Amino acid sequence: MKRETITPGKVSFILSALLMLLTFTALPAHADFYVIAAGGRGAGTEIKSLPHTISSPGFYYITKDLSCSGSHGITITADNVTLDLMGFSLGGAGGGSYAGVYMSGRSNVEIRNGTVRNFGNYGVYESSDAGQGHRVINIRARDNLSYGIYLKAKGNLVKGCTASGNNYTGIHAGIGSTVTGNTCYENLIGAGICALAGSTVTGNTCYKNGIWGIYACVGSTVTGNTSYSNDKHGILLEGHNLVDQNTAYSNTTSNMTSCGTCVFGTNVGAPSP
């Protein structure tokens, strides 16, 4: 049998092929972080300074903390965009009507993996109910002078985020959204989570917010949440909600509002029948 000689050129080719495989292969479908291998950043576009406008679909990322004043940090004017903060932060100067990430009427935008802080208005903001299908994953929205994450769009996913120290509500999600696995605390004069009609609110923790822990509009499913020590209602229900496996305790006005059209399962802090 003839033995093949592995030359340095062949070794280089094999290593390059492995690097490409790592670069373009995502983690399994259940994971929320994606691998960008060293040297593989050419697969997307690096944002190197703020302010920046994303005007074409694609993958965008940052590789260091970025800050700006007197403008939105990143403005997205295209659909089908993924913005990965790669563990870094977008920082504002704390004044003006500006957002860390701003979009209006966009579709299918994903923002993930980092911090958006100290902007004069919103951390992450979709300003139009014509928008749809956004995903905000693993974002820390803190110390913004309005909302942490505000999505007027419909059909959003907000997952694994932390919203704290914002002046108003931590997370606001439009009609038909899923809000899951988030932590919202010490948002000063707003709610921890506000979810509009037909949403699913599950597995969140909200405490010491200025108004409600969780507000769920009509036709929403509210399961497995914890709402503690909020200044008004722990869980405020608008009607025709399924409410199960929640814990609401030590909230100032009520732990959970009465609701004649809701279906209650087993909850701690549920109103008396």
Side-chain angles (χ1 to χ4, degrees), residues 118-151:
N118 203 38
F119 282 88
N121 207 342
Y122 305 88
V124 175
Y125 185 32
E126 162 61 77
S127 68
S128 172
D129 56 13
Q132 59 182 331
H134 300 319
R135 294 162 53 94
V136 181
I137 302 173
N138 298 325
I139 287 294
R140 298 177 292 278
R142 51 174 300 209
D143 301 327
N144 299 287
L145 295 189
S146 186
Y147 292 69
I149 298 167
Y150 191 108
L151 303 175

Side-chain angles (χ1 to χ4, degrees), residues 191-193 201 204 206 212-216 222 225-227 233-236:
I193 291 171
V201 183
N204 303 285
C206 297
W212 316 299
I214 295 170
Y215 166 84
V222 184
N225 302 285
T226 298
S227 187
H233 303 288
I235 300 176
L236 177 61

Side-chain angles (χ1 to χ4, degrees), residues 85-225:
L85 302 184
M86 304 287 281
F88 297 100
S89 70
L90 305 178
S97 299
Y98 304 113
V101 180
Y102 173 79
M103 48 192 168
S104 182
R106 304 273 52 89
S107 298
N108 193 34
V109 173
E110 179 169 317
I111 302 160
R112 66 191 190 213
N113 300 341
T115 298
V116 184
R117 57 180 176 79
N118 203 38
F119 282 88
N121 207 342
Y122 305 88
V124 175
Y125 185 32
E126 162 61 77
S127 68
S128 172
D129 56 13
Q132 59 182 331
H134 300 319
R135 294 162 53 94
V136 181
I137 302 173
N138 298 325
I139 287 294
R140 298 177 292 278
R142 51 174 300 209
D143 301 327
N144 299 287
L145 295 189
S146 186
Y147 292 69
I149 298 167
Y150 191 108
L151 303 175
K152 280 189 178 181
K154 55 185 174 289
N156 309 287
L157 171 67
V158 184
K159 181 178 180 182
C161 296
T162 299
S164 65
N166 302 289
N167 207 39
Y168 290 96
T169 292
I171 296 172
H172 175 105
I175 292 171
S177 294
T178 297
V179 184
T180 181
N182 305 286
T183 300
C184 300
Y185 65 95
E186 296 178 356
N187 296 288
L188 301 181
I189 54 175
I193 291 171
C194 177
L196 298 192
S199 291
T200 297
V201 183
T202 182
N204 303 285
T205 299
C206 297
Y207 65 93
K208 292 189 175 179
N209 296 288
I211 302 181
W212 316 299
I214 295 170
Y215 166 84
C217 199
V218 294
S220 294
T221 296
V222 184
T223 58
N225 302 285

